[in-house]
Amino acid sequence: MAASSENLSEWRSLLNSLTFFDKIRKQHEYSEGSEPKNLFAIEDGRIFLWDGESRLLTANLHDIIATDTTLDANESLSNVTPFKTSIQEQSLLCTDTPFFKVEHICFNSTGQQVLLWGRKGVSVLHLPRKQGKHGTFQGGKARINCRTVPIAERFFSTNPSIHLLQVSWHPGSESASHVVLLTSDNTIRIFDTSYSTKALQVTKLVQGGPSYSLSPSHSTFEVALGDIAMAFDFGIPCEASPNNSDELIYPIYILKGNGDVFLLTTSLTNRRYQQTRPQGPLVMHPPAEDNYGLDACSICCLHSNPPVLVVATSTGLLHHCVLLSTTDDEEALGSESFQRTTAVSVFSEKTNAGSTLPKQMKQSLFVYESVELSLTPILSECEDLDSDVSYPIMLSKDQQSEHCYYCCHGAGLHSVSLPWLEKMERFCDVDDKNKAIDDTEEAGVSELHQDQPCIVQHLVCTKPSESCPPAPVLGLASVVDPLLGNMILCLSGDGECFVKPLMSESERSTTSLLSEEPSDEVISPLRQLMRKPFQQQIREILQRDISNPILKTSAKTELPLEESFKLLQRATRILREEYIMKQDQAREETEKRVKILVQQKEQQQVDLHECQAMEGLIREQFSELAERYEDAQDKQEELIQRVGKVLHTLQNQLPILSEAEQGMKTELTGIEAKLGNLETALSQVRKKFGYRKDVSEVKTPTSTQGLSQSQQTQVKTLLKEENEKISDLIAEVRNLTTVVAV
């Protein structure tokens, strides 16, 4: 659970009470100019801030909150209340102090190394180990010497006219120690922090000889023509070959000042992709005469499906370009094909992480929408506008959502979310095995055709009017913590840190209603008429097109009374139109919906009473029908028995015997003949038995004495066998007699 809202102001004040913010407040040179900077970061619950000289200051954010009692396993985190306490701050000193002005700091993926870079150089600071109960560096020492390694120090010292445009960690480095540098001589160099003097890879972005003038006081032909690479960003990694899924290549999208986007494939392990040439410029659909602006300054690749490239210009324009794979025939069709092509054909080729594209496919940019940022609140009401004013924009991704990013510039901070990208991802992630193609096309295309532009919010405004000097943002970081909550921290030019929720209300996921859960039951006609859920309707009504930012100008800013009054009028109008009126409209819609639901409830209660009254009648009719059914069932069984008897009688009265009866007759005739033979044999046996009996009586006892013991035994055995045969014959005769009688 995050800190309670009533303690949020105290949380902010405690954060701004850190002493190392005073260092930035004294560095007035950072508040000058219009280019945004990034002097602080959040890593592993700790805040890091460059003091502008030679130290990296750090403190643990968890020291801001403390507990009065020890929390047990069953105690809620809501008992945690922040209070002013001593916050332990540490200073990380550089062993090799950068000779250049540090304007950006950036952590690698492991959080062990920090990039310190500016326009004139770059260094890598190695963080010490954490020790102790609270995870402090080296047990909580106040000042710690940290190993600092300069990158290409000799190159920048011998080429003073060349300056750095962007530095980033290479995401394909297994050791998280490779750095990518983009310099003003249209060259990308990849260094390993272990061997910082020599570049591992050097890629020239422009084929040809050097510039005629590399002096910082003179403009080169490349600058005049906008042929200088301004920024780059890494895309989604792809497989180097279908047979080897472990080896990945990392595309780099390079933006030039004239708006052209080039593609450079790199790999730290595969030599085939270590000396590649940039491809492009990528074709943009639909084409524009000005190539969507000639003052491009920043690019950001959102790792969604499909990927989206955000191109920013110094005039405040943002172009959201969908990166897709197309063939040569599709590119030849131009803008006409882009307007006529359906979403099914456009998004049929998916570009996921770890996928490979066919050789005949090329990547193209489809500009989905272009947005103009409202940099100054009263810009439209100013009469004397300077058309040459530029605001270089620094794009930063949101760590929690792939559909949101932030824009830092000399006039403040904007957040941009892309709700249409979620629909596009759902359409591209449809499982073809579980869903038919026709259903996919019908549901997905209809959803994509719904126009839902991006949501732009002006979070912090540092330049309310064109007459005010620019006050660039000095840092942007996010906090994701169960105690502090999900926040973004913005450091203004005067060293004050602002805390805002990480995600806007429109992007926060809410628990769905029971009526919104999918069900297999039949949908009522009323719900069929109301396609959108009521919760979504209220969310669309409350969606704000314009927001009131936090106003924080520099100390040198002095607004005239007229501009202050216009600013107040604008804020009042936004509060009335975007807040109060929309809340009133939502309240009216809610009351209307409640009224309809009350009427439906009353009607349903009337119908319920009628159903209850009809229930008794139905029960009585049911009992009557049950009795009649039982009587009919008994009558049916009686009739079946009578029909069986009639059929049996009729069958017996038939003059013609059936085949079964004829077979039985033949069998009985044979049995009768056997019985005659058995009777004859039985009479003979009886006569023999009587004769033997008479003979045995006539014979004297002496005659029997003539038989030996063995002969007597044999005679007894024969008589026993004859007796058994006679018994079997008698039993068979009895059985036959019974059969014949039947």
Side-chain angles (χ1 to χ4, degrees), residues 27 90 209 211 434 451 530 546 587 678 701 732:
Q27 297 290 336
Q90 294 180 284
S211 302
N434 299 329
D451 187 15
M530 303 178 65
I546 306 174
R587 178 178 54 82
L678 292 175
E732 187 176 356

Side-chain angles (χ1 to χ4, degrees), residues 586-642:
R587 178 178 54 82
E588 293 176 358
E589 291 292 333
T590 305
E591 292 177 353
K592 187 185 300 183
R593 181 65 180 270
V594 170
K595 184 178 180 181
I596 294 174
L597 292 178
V598 169
Q599 294 177 356
Q600 292 180 355
K601 181 180 179 180
E602 294 176 354
Q603 182 63 33
Q604 289 176 358
Q605 289 179 350
V606 173
D607 296 341
L608 182 61
H609 291 311
E610 294 179 356
C611 292
Q612 291 176 352
M614 294 176 62
E615 183 181 2
L617 298 176
I618 293 175
R619 289 183 180 276
E620 294 178 358
Q621 294 179 0
F622 173 74
S623 59
E624 294 178 0
L625 291 175
E627 293 177 358
R628 293 175 60 184
Y629 173 74
E630 292 178 357
D631 296 340
Q633 189 174 9
D634 295 340
K635 190 68 173 177
Q636 182 180 6
E637 292 179 356
E638 183 181 355
L639 292 175
I640 289 174
Q641 293 179 359
R642 291 178 61 185

